[in-house]
Every structure is written in structure tokens, then in C-alpha cells.
Amino acid sequence: MTRALLIAALCALPLAGCDGHAGNEQGTTISLNATDSHGNVVAGIDGKSGDMAINAPGFSGKINLPKIHLDASDFDMNGVHLYPGSTVSGMNIDAHDHGQGSDNDGTVKVTFESPAKPDTVRAWFEEKLNAAGFHVKADGTGLSGTTDEKKPFSLDLSPVGADHAKGVITIG
């Protein structure tokens, strides 16, 4: 069941995230690696070309789609989106249940860029996430703690130019 839901979600992303950007602009790269009692599923969307590839037990294929461009409103953690104006450059989902029927042994990693300095982005996330049931605190230039489901959470931020931040959120 998990495998079917993950494939369906990945296939729906190109339709939800396609916003008509044209030209050679970089899209969002998405990768999925999931293992359950039925086998391993590997799927991905290349942000440079728009190519989507799926390799699952009994099915393998590759199609070319328009590039996906995910932004702040496309990513949600308990109602908390990314910092306003942010763009997602990559998303990696690594879900393995090792035949146990559980989704507890996995990670989600999201890379993004925000139009504000790292300290501004960190303070914004700290306030919003703690209000949404997370338990996070400042840790260097980012945040660390747990989600509302007690899963490990970290946010790493670094400056990009004078007034932008590059961030990596890791859950799990």
C-alpha cells in the first residue's frame, strides 16, 4: 500500500508543480527510494530536464514532462510552509519499512533558497514550527529538535550573497 501511494504521489507532482516556466531555468529535482515487503521502488524527476523515471517491481519506465517548480506554498509541515518567497531546489524521500509495515524508518530532505538572511529565516521557522507542535531550538545557524510526531528535525542554513539563505530541512 505504501508503495502505491508513493508512486501515485510522485506521479501527481508534475501536474501540481508545473507552473509554465519556460526556457533553461532549473526546476526542482525529486528523488524517491522506498522499500517494503514487495521490493524496492526508485523514482525521480530531474530538475534540469524534466525527465521522470520509475523502477518498481513489475514496472519500469521513463517519460519527459515539463520541469517542476516548487515554491514556499508547495511544501507544508503541519501548516507551516517554507519562508515566504522561497524556492525548492531538491527533495529526497528515503522511505524503508524493511518489511515491517511501518514508515518510521525513513528521511525527507528538502533543499531550498530563501530571500532573506539566515538569521531571519531561522527566527521565522523557530516561531512557526514551535507554534505548530514541533520542539525546535536554535543550533548554530539553523535549528534542531523534533517534529510533532517526535521524529528528528534539523534545519541548516547558510548565506547566499548579502541577503539570501540556502537551507536544508531534514526530517527523520
Side-chain angles (χ1 to χ4, degrees), residues 69-131:
H69 297 274
L70 300 178
D71 61 26
S73 65
D74 295 314
F75 185 74
D76 184 312
M77 300 174 291
N78 281 15
V80 177
H81 296 281
L82 294 177
Y83 184 86
S86 296
T87 56
V88 178
S89 58
M91 183 178 294
N92 179 287
I93 303 162
D94 191 3
H96 299 284
D97 75 3
H98 305 289
Q100 304 298 313
S102 168
D103 64 356
N104 290 332
D105 193 19
T107 59
V108 174
K109 187 177 282 189
V110 177
T111 56
F112 63 95
E113 189 169 318
S114 295
K117 293 179 181 181
D119 289 345
T120 302
V121 176
R122 179 183 65 197
W124 185 89
F125 269 116
E126 186 173 13
E127 177 187 340
K128 299 289 186 186
L129 290 173
N130 282 323

Side-chain angles (χ1 to χ4, degrees), residues 143-161:
L143 299 171
S144 66
T146 59
T147 68
D148 64 318
E149 297 173 340
K150 308 293 187 246
K151 293 184 180 183
F153 174 90
S154 69
L155 167 66
D156 297 309
L157 294 164
S158 59
V160 177

Side-chain angles (χ1 to χ4, degrees), residues 33-53:
N33 186 3
T35 303
D36 65 14
S37 59
H38 301 288
N40 194 46
V41 175
V42 178
I45 299 173
D46 185 321
K48 293 179 183 175
S49 66
D51 288 344
M52 181 176 84

